Amino acid sequence: MTAPDEYASVRYLVDDVGAAVDFYTKNFGFTVTRQFSGFADVTRGPLRLLLSGPPSSGARATPAEYAAAGRNRIHLIVRDLDAEIGRLRGAGLQFRSDVVEGPGGRQILLTDPAGNLVELFQPAQRATE
Protein backbone atom coordinates (compact mmCIF):
# COMPACT_ATOMS: atom_id res chain seq x y z
CA MET A 1 0.00 0.00 0.00
CA THR A 2 1.25 3.49 -0.85
CA ALA A 3 1.78 5.85 2.08
CA PRO A 4 -0.36 9.05 1.90
CA ASP A 5 2.68 11.28 1.41
CA GLU A 6 3.87 9.17 -1.56
CA TYR A 7 0.79 9.70 -3.73
CA ALA A 8 0.80 11.93 -6.77
CA SER A 9 -2.61 13.62 -6.50
CA VAL A 10 -4.64 15.07 -9.34
CA ARG A 11 -8.00 16.80 -8.97
CA TYR A 12 -10.56 16.46 -11.74
CA LEU A 13 -13.74 18.54 -11.69
CA VAL A 14 -16.66 16.31 -12.67
CA ASP A 15 -20.38 16.83 -13.17
CA ASP A 16 -21.41 13.43 -11.76
CA VAL A 17 -19.17 11.88 -9.09
CA GLY A 18 -20.89 8.48 -9.27
CA ALA A 19 -20.40 8.25 -13.04
CA ALA A 20 -16.74 9.24 -12.66
CA VAL A 21 -16.17 6.65 -9.91
CA ASP A 22 -17.75 3.95 -12.08
CA PHE A 23 -15.64 5.02 -15.08
CA TYR A 24 -12.31 4.87 -13.25
CA THR A 25 -12.98 1.78 -11.10
CA LYS A 26 -14.60 -0.40 -13.77
CA ASN A 27 -12.35 0.52 -16.68
CA PHE A 28 -8.96 1.26 -15.13
CA GLY A 29 -8.78 -0.60 -11.82
CA PHE A 30 -8.93 2.40 -9.48
CA THR A 31 -10.02 1.68 -5.89
CA VAL A 32 -12.38 3.94 -3.95
CA THR A 33 -10.65 5.30 -0.84
CA ARG A 34 -13.44 7.69 0.18
CA GLN A 35 -16.70 8.79 -1.36
CA PHE A 36 -19.11 11.44 -0.12
CA SER A 37 -21.87 13.42 -1.74
CA GLY A 38 -20.13 15.48 -4.40
CA PHE A 39 -16.62 14.05 -3.87
CA ALA A 40 -14.63 10.84 -4.24
CA ASP A 41 -11.00 9.89 -3.68
CA VAL A 42 -9.84 6.98 -5.87
CA THR A 43 -6.37 5.49 -6.19
CA ARG A 44 -4.37 3.37 -8.58
CA GLY A 45 -0.86 2.61 -7.41
CA PRO A 46 0.73 5.94 -6.44
CA LEU A 47 -1.91 8.01 -8.29
CA ARG A 48 -4.60 9.58 -6.13
CA LEU A 49 -7.41 11.02 -8.24
CA LEU A 50 -9.69 13.49 -6.48
CA LEU A 51 -13.07 13.61 -8.21
CA SER A 52 -14.75 16.86 -7.20
CA GLY A 53 -18.40 17.45 -8.06
CA PRO A 54 -20.11 20.87 -8.09
CA PRO A 55 -20.82 21.03 -4.31
CA SER A 56 -17.24 20.15 -3.30
CA SER A 57 -14.85 22.74 -1.94
CA GLY A 58 -12.36 21.92 -4.72
CA ALA A 59 -14.89 22.75 -7.42
CA ARG A 60 -16.23 25.83 -5.65
CA ALA A 61 -12.70 27.22 -5.23
CA THR A 62 -12.00 27.00 -8.97
CA PRO A 63 -12.42 30.23 -10.97
CA ALA A 64 -15.04 29.83 -13.70
CA GLU A 65 -12.56 30.43 -16.53
CA TYR A 66 -10.56 27.35 -15.39
CA ALA A 67 -13.48 25.00 -14.70
CA ALA A 68 -13.69 23.41 -18.18
CA ALA A 69 -12.45 19.86 -18.56
CA GLY A 70 -9.71 18.81 -20.96
CA ARG A 71 -6.77 21.10 -20.25
CA ASN A 72 -4.78 18.37 -18.48
CA ARG A 73 -4.81 14.60 -18.51
CA ILE A 74 -3.76 11.65 -16.45
CA HIS A 75 -1.26 9.33 -18.07
CA LEU A 76 -1.82 5.60 -17.51
CA ILE A 77 0.88 3.18 -18.65
CA VAL A 78 -0.37 -0.04 -20.22
CA ARG A 79 1.54 -3.12 -21.41
CA ASP A 80 -0.52 -3.76 -24.54
CA LEU A 81 -2.21 -0.68 -25.98
CA ASP A 82 -4.06 -2.58 -28.70
CA ALA A 83 -5.54 -5.02 -26.17
CA GLU A 84 -6.63 -2.14 -23.91
CA ILE A 85 -8.25 -0.34 -26.84
CA GLY A 86 -10.16 -3.49 -27.72
CA ARG A 87 -11.24 -4.07 -24.12
CA LEU A 88 -12.43 -0.51 -23.64
CA ARG A 89 -14.22 -0.34 -27.01
CA GLY A 90 -15.94 -3.57 -25.98
CA ALA A 91 -17.09 -1.76 -22.82
CA GLY A 92 -18.64 0.97 -24.99
CA LEU A 93 -15.99 3.66 -24.48
CA GLN A 94 -15.16 6.02 -27.32
CA PHE A 95 -11.72 7.40 -28.06
CA ARG A 96 -10.94 11.05 -28.82
CA SER A 97 -7.84 10.44 -30.91
CA ASP A 98 -6.24 7.83 -33.07
CA VAL A 99 -3.17 5.98 -31.85
CA VAL A 100 -0.15 8.27 -32.07
CA GLU A 101 3.34 6.78 -32.20
CA GLY A 102 6.60 8.50 -31.35
CA PRO A 103 10.09 7.62 -30.19
CA GLY A 104 8.91 7.13 -26.60
CA GLY A 105 5.96 4.89 -27.36
CA ARG A 106 2.32 4.83 -28.48
CA GLN A 107 -0.67 6.62 -27.00
CA ILE A 108 -4.38 7.22 -27.43
CA LEU A 109 -6.82 9.57 -25.67
CA LEU A 110 -10.31 9.09 -24.31
CA THR A 111 -12.43 11.14 -21.92
CA ASP A 112 -14.17 10.44 -18.66
CA PRO A 113 -17.90 11.24 -18.31
CA ALA A 114 -17.11 14.91 -17.51
CA GLY A 115 -14.83 15.37 -20.54
CA ASN A 116 -11.47 15.08 -18.72
CA LEU A 117 -8.78 13.46 -20.85
CA VAL A 118 -7.21 10.10 -20.02
CA GLU A 119 -4.10 9.05 -21.93
CA LEU A 120 -3.26 5.38 -22.33
CA PHE A 121 0.44 5.00 -23.07
CA GLN A 122 2.51 1.98 -24.08
CA PRO A 123 6.24 2.68 -23.78
CA ALA A 124 8.44 1.82 -26.77
CA GLN A 125 10.40 -1.39 -26.58
CA ARG A 126 14.03 -0.62 -25.88
CA ALA A 127 16.68 -2.58 -27.75
CA THR A 128 18.88 -4.56 -25.40
CA GLU A 129 22.55 -3.80 -25.69
Side-chain angles (χ1 to χ4, degrees):
M1 176 177 248
T2 305
D5 63 342
E6 294 178 349
Y7 282 112
S9 296
V10 174
R11 182 182 309 279
Y12 268 174
L13 303 182
V14 299
D15 301 320
D16 182 332
V17 172
V21 168
D22 286 346
F23 178 82
Y24 287 103
T25 58
K26 290 179 182 176
N27 297 302
F28 300 107
F30 279 78
T31 301
V32 177
T33 304
R34 290 180 286 183
Q35 186 171 357
F36 309 104
S37 176
F39 174 81
D41 179 344
V42 297
T43 58
R44 179 180 183 225
L47 174 59
R48 179 179 179 222
L49 187 55
L50 307 172
L51 302 169
S52 297
S56 71
S57 60
R60 288 183 287 121
T62 304
E65 64 268 23
Y66 295 103
R71 292 181 180 234
N72 298 300
R73 61 185 179 232
I74 60 172
H75 174 267
L76 302 176
I77 296 175
V78 299
R79 291 180 189 196
D80 184 339
L81 184 62
D82 296 322
E84 283 297 299
I85 291 168
R87 181 182 71 80
L88 295 168
R89 280 199 173 123
L93 296 168
Q94 295 182 355
F95 291 85
R96 300 296 179 225
S97 74
D98 293 324
V99 173
V100 176
E101 190 165 344
R106 301 168 62 228
Q107 68 185 45
I108 194 167
L109 300 175
L110 62 150
T111 55
D112 72 9
N116 294 299
L117 288 170
V118 175
E119 175 185 328
L120 301 180
F121 179 79
Q122 179 182 343
Q125 294 288 342
R126 301 285 181 215
T128 56
E129 296 179 4

